[in-house]
Amino acid sequence: MESQRQSKPSPAPSRPGPLSSFVRFVVCGGGVGLLSSAAVPMLAAAMPWAVANALVTVAGTLLCTELHALFTFGTGRRPDWRRHLQSSGSAVAAYLATTAAMFALYAVQPSPGMVWEQTVYLTASGLAGVGRFLVLRLFVFADRSERDGRSGRSTRSETLVPGEPNLRLVPGTDTSRRQVAVTHPALVPSAA
């Protein structure tokens, strides 16, 4: 009888590849950036500009983290507070990198023209954005089970190989034989 069918677990959502997720990252981040650039002046009419900018930055970062979790990196679930904090940390690091680049420009050239300012700022922003994308993809929104499976890690008990920190002995079914697993993390994520 078919009355007692067992429900199959739904498959995990497929994660976009590196190029697809980078395009999504640019679209989401750029879209929220454009919205933020319109929101700050409107809020600044009612409060100091620095306060308006801070509020919009916090709201934009929270929105971007949600979009990156669900759309950019396809995790299939909303980010928890740990991921929000990690994403915020990467945004702060990107802000500090662009600020440092501008301070360096002003140290070298006290009164640069607009072309130099824009060139330095956009270059620093682009590099910081690529760095932030890599941090988010490889660490913040990386699928741990996928990453552990690619690196050869096992949930079974393992023993370190003396003198080889990246090699572990993995117990096999036969107690007289053991398998050796390389446990370094994969450097380039798969396109799957």
Side-chain angles (χ1 to χ4, degrees):
M1 273 190 166
E2 294 292 322
S3 63
Q4 295 180 338
R5 284 187 189 167
Q6 293 180 344
S7 62
K8 293 181 182 178
S10 60
S14 64
R15 294 174 57 95
L19 182 59
S20 176
S21 60
F22 184 73
V23 169
R24 293 175 182 200
F25 177 81
V26 170
V27 168
C28 289
V32 170
L34 288 174
L35 289 174
S36 297
S37 68
V40 170
M42 291 188 320
L43 281 177
M47 63 186 69
W49 186 89
V51 174
N53 189 36
L55 289 174
V56 169
T57 300
V58 169
T61 302
L62 290 171
L63 177 59
C64 271
T65 302
E66 293 284 335
L67 290 172
H68 291 327
L70 296 172
F71 179 69
T72 303
F73 301 111
T75 64
R77 61 189 178 278
R78 294 186 61 196
D80 56 14
W81 284 107
R82 179 184 62 83
R83 285 195 168 125
H84 272 290
L85 288 174
Q86 290 173 329
S87 179
S88 297
S90 71
V92 168
Y95 168 79
L96 292 174
T98 55
T99 301
M102 294 307 289
F103 278 138
L105 171 65
Y106 292 124
V108 172
Q109 176 68 355
S111 55
M114 188 188 318
V115 172
W116 273 109
E117 286 178 336
Q118 288 298 306
T119 300
V120 169
Y121 180 76
L122 292 174
T123 301
S125 292
L127 292 173
V130 169
R132 186 162 187 257
F133 169 78
L134 291 172
V135 166
L136 293 177
R137 178 163 173 88
L138 298 176
F139 299 105
V140 177
F141 295 111
D143 184 5
R144 291 182 188 269
S145 62
E146 179 183 287
R147 188 174 63 214
D148 290 347
R150 279 197 314 263
S151 66
R153 291 185 186 150
S154 172
T155 56
R156 298 180 285 182
S157 62
E158 301 173 339
T159 306
L160 287 173
V161 175
E164 296 291 335
N166 289 332
L167 293 179
R168 300 181 189 282
L169 294 176
V170 179
T173 54
D174 181 10
T175 57
S176 64
R177 296 182 347 191
R178 294 184 183 261
Q179 300 171 339
V180 176
V182 178
T183 60
H184 61 81
L187 297 178
V188 178
S190 70

